[in-house]
Amino acid sequence: MYPVTKDFLGKPAPPGYVAGLGRGATGFTTRSDIGPARESTSNSKAEDQSERFKDAENEEGLFSGMPYGADDEEADQVWTQIDAKMAQRRSGKRKDESSSSSSRAKPGPGPGQPSAEEEHLLRSAKRQLQTLTADEWASIPDVAQLAETAARAKRRRIAADPRRSGSSSLGERMVQVPDSAVVGVLSSGGMDGSISPSSAVGSDGGAATDLRALGQARDAVLRMKLDAAGQATSLKPADAAGYLTSLGSEAALGIGDLARARKLLRSVTRASPTHAAGWIAAARLEEAAKKPAQARAVIDEACERCPRSEDVWLEAARLHPRGAAARAVLGRAVRALPQAVRVWAAAADAEPSATGRRRVLRRALEHVPGSVALWRAAVGAEPDAANARVLLAHAVETVPHSVDLWLALARLEPYAAAQRVLNRARRAVPTSADVWVAAARLEEQCGSGDVALLLRKAAASLRANGAEPARDAWLALAQQAAADGLPATCRAIVAASSDAGFDADDAPADRAAAYAADAARLAASCPEAARALYALAVEAAPGDAGLWTRAAALERTAHGPSAEAAAGAAAAAEVLERAVQRLPREEALWLQLAAASPGSGSGSGSGSGSGSGSGSGSGSGSGSVDWGRSVLERAFAANPASEAIVLAAVALEAGAGQHARAAALLQRAVAGGGSPRVWLKAAVLHRQLGNTREALLAARRGREKFPDGAFKLWLLESQLLLQGGDPAAARQTLSQALAASPRSSPELWLAAAALDARASVPRARAVLERARVHIPRNPALWLAAVRLEASSTSTSTSTSTSSGSMAAARALLARALQECPRAGCLWAESVLMAERPQRKAASIDALKNAGAQDPLVCLVVARLFAAERRPDKARAWFARATAADPDCGDAWAWWLRFESSAEGDEEGRKERVDGLEAACAKASPRHGQVWPTVAKSPENYGLSTTRILHLVAEALALTRQFT
């Protein structure tokens, strides 16, 4: 190591230098050490020096005195060259960045984009397309036809070429064989030119893999996942008692464990001889070790050491044999603990006879007269009601605060004596609501007294004593009264609880909302309490039509479907009658009242009143028709300008077969101007009656009167024209509708595409593409486009064209799922279009993305299980689909189709079909993909829901099936 010599040693310090000033070590100075002039000069110079030393390139500072040699000059030249080289690189990079930014500012035609000249040519060609007629459009060949023509020409060239005569056909595809397959075949001693699809050679020298077995295993895994998606799994809590019992069994205790446990418990009992838990644990340890004598010896010693412990005496009685030995132990126990209620109860249970048990209990009451449990046991042990009444009379005198004893005594007394007992009970326990409720129950059972007045007094008394129960407690008492067959008491309890939980300044609407919420919660379990709660709600907010509607719905559902249906309809009609008297301007209430005929019991009460054309039988009887007419006449008098009431009257007359009266009503509504809905109903009625000309005239006049908001009139007019055999006029009508309002409804686009698909698939494809431009992210339009491509597959005669069309359909479906990732109809279609091995995986994806409660996905899963002949799973998924959307008629029809062809006995099949028909008729579905087409067909006018269900099931045979 060479010593380092500082070059500044021996040189004078620079001016103003202060040792240690740079690191803050200036020391302690006084005014006498430095003068003011020197201090100010040194500071300014020090600042100058510090500024000089900050620059690393400044050589006039600390290194100014060092010699500058040839090495330093050479180093400076090298660094100068390096700086020049780096500056040149940076300038080139800056030029590249500037050129790229300028190119981005003025982009040229990229790959796949037309240039300016090409754009000009395309623009002129597009202008020329406007002059094409519909026939010229139809003559444009399809892409699939061009592909088929090219494939046919290629096959002809291959057949004509002699050099390729021995080659394989066009459908075969040559694939390179893996090296592992070649090595495996060579090692097996044979050589074959092909590999069967059911086997493959592995890389371990010829081990065969059964691909079919792998596929079956994969299907099994997917099937388990699909089953798990349809079942809600829940974890069961562990049985703590059973677990501890198993730990205390002999199998869980070894010899070493027993010895250690005995030693431990022996030390516990010796250290704390009065600790009862230690003695009990030691006795139970011996019992678990199958040594009952030793266990009894331990517990006997515990009784001597802990004579004041109830647990020790009870454990001793349990360990001793039942009979004299146990009674002897309990006799010693009651002498040691005469106030122990549990010991007396155990002693009474140990008696072999009822007489001995009563004697022990009476002896116990002498020592513990204030025990309610002993009084209950003594009364329960008395076989004679008179003796029990005497005991209870003594009990309520001894324990006046026990409500149960008072109520038990009142139940044993006659009516007058029971009244006196309950009056004494109210004075003894003024804070108990059970006593007041018992008095109300007594009055209703005996048929005398005002139950409502009594419970109003009860609420006031409890409120004055600060013991008013919460509303939930009142409702629990009401439910118990209703369960015991006391409806008046139930209603009186609900009325008495009207102020419970509310302040005096609470708004009536808030009270009504709370009453309605409680009524909805109790509607299924206790209809009587729910009825009383709705009465409170409509009294608090009589102007709320929704409350009246829910109250009427409760009356319909609270009665049975057969014998008491008429009573339910009459009760609902009574509620609605009061509602229309309070709210005569509410059209929905009038419509529900018209549908709720008191004599029929079949009124649905939906209040739609419009009639779907299915003819569900709204006028099934003359009484129902007369009732509906009278109600609607009153409704029209209260609401003379109501279109809903007029349409309800039209539906009523049409359902009763009075078509002339229905047409007259519609004519009056149309003459007054009407709305698009009135014009539509008029056209539909004429169509159902077979008057195509009048229907077409009404539809045309309606859509001319309302050109923007009447897309259904446009659609109906096109359907009438198509029905009359004029597809060109129907196409022209739809074209005018789409030109007038292209974003009004996708139904117009779907109808236009379906009409064009009959003549030209490319034209229908173009219509659907335009539809997706005007109405983006619409699953129905995407589904129609996918099905159009798939239908072109089925109509194609060439195998290559069919496979290409199916590939195009799948590609279009993938685009549709990207744009509408939650559309259940698209995911259901993906399951239908999947190949057989991929169907389960596709159904799993559909359930994950569209949701396990999507009705269409559940329906396609049910159809998948039905195709695999798994009826239980299929029924479960059909039930889930119909529960998710009862208005989907296709789900009911698919279910009926499955049950009609299901295996099993004929009686069971008929029972399932009858139940399904009844459930479908109750749901009254109106929507679906096939149901509306069948239900609204003119030839099906007037048919019942059950008949339409069978017709839809027959029509489903023409849709896509699982194979």
Side-chain angles (χ1 to χ4, degrees), residues 737-903:
L738 293 175
S741 55
R743 292 182 174 84
S744 59
S745 174
E747 296 181 10
L748 291 174
W749 293 100
L750 293 175
L755 185 59
D756 288 335
R758 299 182 178 183
S760 173
V761 172
R763 184 186 298 174
R765 187 183 297 117
V767 169
L768 291 175
E769 289 178 356
R770 289 173 53 204
R772 294 198 299 272
V773 172
H774 289 289
I775 308 176
R777 299 183 182 278
N778 188 274
L781 296 176
W782 281 106
L783 180 62
V786 172
R787 289 181 174 177
L788 179 66
E789 298 296 337
S791 63
S792 64
T793 301
S794 60
T795 58
S796 178
T797 58
S798 174
T799 305
S800 60
T801 306
S802 301
S803 60
S805 301
M806 182 56 70
R810 290 195 177 97
L812 192 62
L813 180 60
R815 289 175 52 198
L817 290 175
Q818 289 179 356
E819 188 167 341
C820 306
R822 297 293 181 183
C825 59
L826 296 177
W827 284 106
E829 191 69 17
S830 69
V831 178
L832 286 171
M833 293 179 61
E835 297 293 339
R836 186 181 182 88
Q838 285 82 30
R839 286 174 184 170
K840 292 185 177 63
S843 60
I844 292 293
D845 294 338
L847 290 170
K848 288 181 179 178
N849 291 277
Q853 297 301 323
D854 188 276
L856 297 179
V857 175
C858 294
L859 177 61
V860 77
V861 173
R863 292 173 57 190
L864 180 60
F865 280 122
E868 294 182 352
R869 298 184 180 276
R870 300 179 64 185
D872 295 336
K873 292 292 183 181
R875 290 189 183 96
W877 282 96
F878 276 125
R880 174 177 289 194
T882 53
D885 186 9
D887 197 46
C888 181
D890 291 2
W892 296 101
W894 278 113
W895 196 356
L896 176 66
R897 186 177 178 84
F898 165 73
E899 294 293 353
S900 300
S901 60
E903 298 178 354

Side-chain angles (χ1 to χ4, degrees), residues 333-350:
V334 298
R335 287 192 293 271
L337 298 171
Q339 302 295 323
V341 176
R342 291 194 298 161
V343 175
W344 281 109
D349 293 338

Side-chain angles (χ1 to χ4, degrees), residues 2-24:
Y2 296 96
V4 179
T5 304
K6 307 297 190 295
D7 58 345
F8 56 83
L9 296 178
K11 296 181 180 180
Y17 172 74
V18 179
L21 185 62
R23 64 178 185 274

Side-chain angles (χ1 to χ4, degrees), residues 317 322-328 330-331 343-353 356-357 360:
R322 295 184 62 86
R327 290 197 297 273
L330 291 172
V343 175
W344 281 109
D349 293 338
E351 291 295 329
S353 62
R357 189 169 185 271
V360 171

Side-chain angles (χ1 to χ4, degrees), residues 48 52 201 486 578 843:
D48 295 340
R52 291 168 57 194
V201 180
L486 302 171
R578 290 189 285 115
S843 60

